[in-house]
């Protein structure tokens, strides 16, 4: 059966809107949470600005456990928690929850790695001026690592578009869901093509914006 | 003179491999008088940087006491130490400017840390930048400056909070001779015009003799020699000190070098020390005239240490045998501190 394009286009627009919503909400939440976890990881490691063995070990293990799990498995594994938190297991909001969980730990690692690449000399300089650990984290490390951080967040954003499509195929909303219900289940190749094109466009847009922002921050 | 910095039997050990301890600073006692410049020299790994970092408590001593401006840092908690660090500026070999901030932002940063309002911090930062001659670069980014300019910004940043003490860890080691000069001139102005006490680490005795009043030589965590710069240069005692002094002034010709000189200069060779307390060139030329002795300079190794000459001149003497003998005797008679060496032959 062929889709009726006059009723189909509004669906594409709606689905794209849902995808953008899922991705942006996830990005905002996971950026805040991931930043907090990443900063804590960085600060509490041995020789860090606020060393704490226990906190580091717990967070580090958590990141190492969550990160390698394939996203599809994570959705299923987290579904009882999702129902508890969101109240439902299907739809856009239900998709956002596992996305935030997985993305948070991804962002945390990105933040930690980029902070580690900041030269120790500038930290020493800030310490010599009397800066405390929190001041060093927020006014030295984050600004100094901002360029690579923006690129890291861009990488995460692209990954989230991918996640949202996966979430869509297993009951979430958005373009993935559209491709699944119309393209896959009703054997409509043209819908599939439209869905893929929308995803590609979104990824390109994200990458373009991210690169431009990073270039501005890095002044090149 | 009051001591701004006082170290009393300070020790710093780091945990080493297999439960052993490594002693980086080993029982150092040192005082630095207000308004003076102390140079710390020593081979790599001698503990110089560790010593400097003990002064502003970036490192906490394992034993001993550290007093800055009469306050015992050893008795302070971390919050108190941070307050002290704001009154002690620090300059680094690799400058360590914040790349995420402009020149102005870098210099204003320590002021903002100290709670200075934005407008006031900006005004003060511009004032310090004017002092280092880079006011027109305030809006530039660090990577737009030359190495020497960058270090001058580093100095400006360290001076922003009007500290009493400036610590420099090899501030010129990464610079070429021309820009080294530029930064040294600035540090000299910091000392003379602002009256700031400076402790600087260096590998180059040229830096010491240009800038320092006092020099401490470190070896294996200890201060093995410490004194007024000219004194240490004129009469080095410890082997490490001798190596450093020689690197700056060169040796009076001895052994093989003397043999080569003799090949070119068949007459009597006399090495005359040049020190600030020895009679000067006028006296020498008068003696030469009186004894009808003529000379050529066979070798000269004279440098300037704290605005006074130091080193030696080797003269080839020509004249009647008796006149030359009398001249050498007269030369010796007036020299109490440093005898002329007659290179017989
Ligand atoms: N945090 C640390 N942990 C363990 N050992 C350290 C630490 N800091 C310094 N050391 C050791 O202490 C010794 C003295 O180091 P320091 O940096 O003070 O030497 P330095 O005289 O400044 O040398 P250089 O001229 O190479 O800068 C070195 O052997 C170094 O390995
Ligand atoms: Mg050093």
């Amino acid at each position: 059966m062929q889709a009726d394009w006059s009723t189909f286009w509004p669906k594409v627009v709606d689905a794209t809107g849902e995808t953008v919503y899922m991705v942006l909400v996830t990005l905002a939440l996971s950026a805040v949470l991931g930043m907090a976890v990443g900063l804590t990881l960085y600060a509490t490691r041995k020789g860090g600005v606020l060393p704490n063995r226990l906190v580091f070990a717990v967070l580090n293990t958590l990141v190492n456990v969550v990160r390698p799990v394939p996203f599809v498995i994570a959705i299923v594994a987290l579904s009882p928690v999702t129902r508890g938190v969101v109240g439902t297991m299907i739809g856009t909001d239900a998709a956002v929850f596992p996305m935030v969980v997985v993305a948070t730990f991804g962002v945390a690692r990105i933040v930690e790695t980029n902070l580690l690449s900041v030269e120790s000399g500038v930290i020493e300089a800030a310490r010599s001026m009397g800066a405390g650990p929190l001041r060093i984290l927020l006014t030295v490390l984050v600004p100094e690592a901002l360029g690579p951080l923006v690129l890291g967040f861009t990488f995460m954003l692209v990954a989230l578009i991918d996640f949202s499509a996966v979430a869509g195929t297993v009951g979430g909303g958005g373009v993935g869901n559209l491709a699944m219900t119309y393209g896959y289940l009703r054997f409509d190749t043209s819908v599939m093509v439209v869905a893929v094109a929308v995803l590609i466009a979104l990824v390109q847009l994200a990458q373009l914006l991210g690169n431009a922002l990073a270039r501005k921050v890095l002044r090149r | 003179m009051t001591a701004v910095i006082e170290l009393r039997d300070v020790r710093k050990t780091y945990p080493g491999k297999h439960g052993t301890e490594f002693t980086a600073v080993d029982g150092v006692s040192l005082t630095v008088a207000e308004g003076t410049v102390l140079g710390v020299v020593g081979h790599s790994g001698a503990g110089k940087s560790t010593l400097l970092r003990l002064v502003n408590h970036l490192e906490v001593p394992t034993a001993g006491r550290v007093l800055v401006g009469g306050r015992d840092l050893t008795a302070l908690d971390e919050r108190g130490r941070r307050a002290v660090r704001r009154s002690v500026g620090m300059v680094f070999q690799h400058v360590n400017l914040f790349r995420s901030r402009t020149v102005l932002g870098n210099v204003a940063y320590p002021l903002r840390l100290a709670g200075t309002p934005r407008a006031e911090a900006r005004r003060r930062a511009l004032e310090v930048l004017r002092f280092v001659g880079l006011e027109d670069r305030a809006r530039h980014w660090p990577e737009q400056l030359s190495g020497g300019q960058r270090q001058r910004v580093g100095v400006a940043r360290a001076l922003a909070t009007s500290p009493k003490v400036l610590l420099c860890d090899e501030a010129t080691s990464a610079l070429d001779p021309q820009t080294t000069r530029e930064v040294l001139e600035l540090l000299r102005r910091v000392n003379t015009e602002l009256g700031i006490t400076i402790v600087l680490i260096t590998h180059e005795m040229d830096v010491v003799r240009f800038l320092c009043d006092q020099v401490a030589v470190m070896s294996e965590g200890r201060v093995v020699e410490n004194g007024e710069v000219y004194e240490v240069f004129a009469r080095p005692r410890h082997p490490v000190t001798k190596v450093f002094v020689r690197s700056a002034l060169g040796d009076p010709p001895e052994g093989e070098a003397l043999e080569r000189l003799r090949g070119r200069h068949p007459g009597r060779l006399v090495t005359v020390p040049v020190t600030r307390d020895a009679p000067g060139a006028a006296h020498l030329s008068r003696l030469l005239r009186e004894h009808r002795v003529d000379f050529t300079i066979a070798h000269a190794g004279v440098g300037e240490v704290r605005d006074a000459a130091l080193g030696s001149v080797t003269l080839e003497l020509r004249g009647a045998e008796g006149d030359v003998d009398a001249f050498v005797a007269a030369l010796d008679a007036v020299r109490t501190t440093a005898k002329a060496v007659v290179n017989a032959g």
Side-chain angles (χ1 to χ4, degrees), chain A residues 7-53:
Chain A
T7 59
F8 182 73
W9 278 119
K11 283 205 178 71
V12 172
V13 173
D14 283 353
T16 307
E18 276 172 16
T19 294
V20 170
Y21 167 82
M22 283 194 288
V23 167
L24 290 186
V25 168
T26 306
L27 186 71
L29 290 176
S30 65
V32 172
L33 295 173
M35 199 77 169
V37 177
L39 285 170
T40 311
L41 271 174
Y42 174 87
T44 54
R45 68 164 43 232
K46 202 172 143 211
V49 291
L50 253 171
N52 186 319
R53 248 210 190 129

Side-chain angles (χ1 to χ4, degrees), chain B residues 204-216:
Chain B
E204 296 158 273
M205 282 311 253
D206 284 344
V207 172
V208 173
R209 63 178 175 156
F210 177 76
L211 202 59
C212 299
D213 302 296
Q214 187 190 345
V215 61

Side-chain angles (χ1 to χ4, degrees), chain B residues 14-15 22 24 42-51 59 170 203:
Chain B
Y14 291 112
F22 180 83
H43 296 303
S44 190
K48 306 181 295 293
S49 295
T50 309
L51 187 76
E59 299 284 357
E170 302 195 29
H203 286 286

Side-chain angles (χ1 to χ4, degrees), chain A:
Chain A
M1 178 189 118
Q2 284 292 302
D4 173 4
W5 286 99
S6 62
T7 59
F8 182 73
W9 278 119
K11 283 205 178 71
V12 172
V13 173
D14 283 353
T16 307
E18 276 172 16
T19 294
V20 170
Y21 167 82
M22 283 194 288
V23 167
L24 290 186
V25 168
T26 306
L27 186 71
L29 290 176
S30 65
V32 172
L33 295 173
M35 199 77 169
V37 177
L39 285 170
T40 311
L41 271 174
Y42 174 87
T44 54
R45 68 164 43 232
K46 202 172 143 211
V49 291
L50 253 171
N52 186 319
R53 248 210 190 129
L54 182 71
V55 174
F56 179 79
V58 169
L59 284 181
N60 196 43
T61 310
L62 211 55
V63 173
N64 283 340
V65 168
V66 173
R67 289 246 295 155
V69 178
F71 184 58
V72 191
I73 310 286
I75 295 176
V76 177
L78 283 169
S79 58
V81 191
T82 308
R83 182 165 27 206
V85 174
V86 189
T88 170
M89 278 162 61
I90 46 170
T92 319
D93 291 329
V96 166
F97 181 74
M99 281 170 74
V100 168
V101 172
V102 171
T104 292
F105 291 101
V107 169
R109 204 51 112 194
I110 290 170
V111 169
E112 186 202 13
T113 322
N114 284 319
L115 294 190
L116 281 173
S117 69
V118 173
E119 282 168 53
S120 62
V122 292
I123 302 166
E124 171 102 341
R127 283 190 68 210
S128 81
M129 295 169 208
L134 200 63
R135 283 300 271 268
I136 292 178
L137 280 176
L138 298 180
T139 66
V140 176
L141 285 156
V142 172
E144 290 291 301
L146 199 58
L149 277 178
V150 167
L151 289 175
F153 278 110
T154 307
F155 177 83
M156 204 63 234
L157 183 58
V158 169
L160 285 179
I161 295 170
D162 175 27
F163 282 8
S164 78
V166 174
T169 60
V170 292
V175 182
N177 183 266
L178 189 78
M180 197 67 183
T181 47
Y182 288 83
Y184 182 68
L185 298 177
R186 300 185 192 173
F187 307 108
D188 189 336
T189 325
S190 52
V191 172
M192 204 68 143
V193 170
V194 169
V196 169
V198 167
L199 288 177
I200 289 175
L202 285 177
V203 167
Q204 289 302 317
L205 190 67
Q207 193 69 54
L208 223 66
L209 285 174
N211 287 352
L213 192 59
R215 248 202 311 281
K216 195 169 157 62
V217 171
L218 290 167
R219 300 190 293 280
R220 41 174 121 93

Side-chain angles (χ1 to χ4, degrees), chain B residues 242-255:
Chain B
K242 286 181 181 163
V243 170
F244 275 101
V245 169
R246 205 174 296 149
S247 72
L249 292 177
D251 267 338
E254 271 170 32

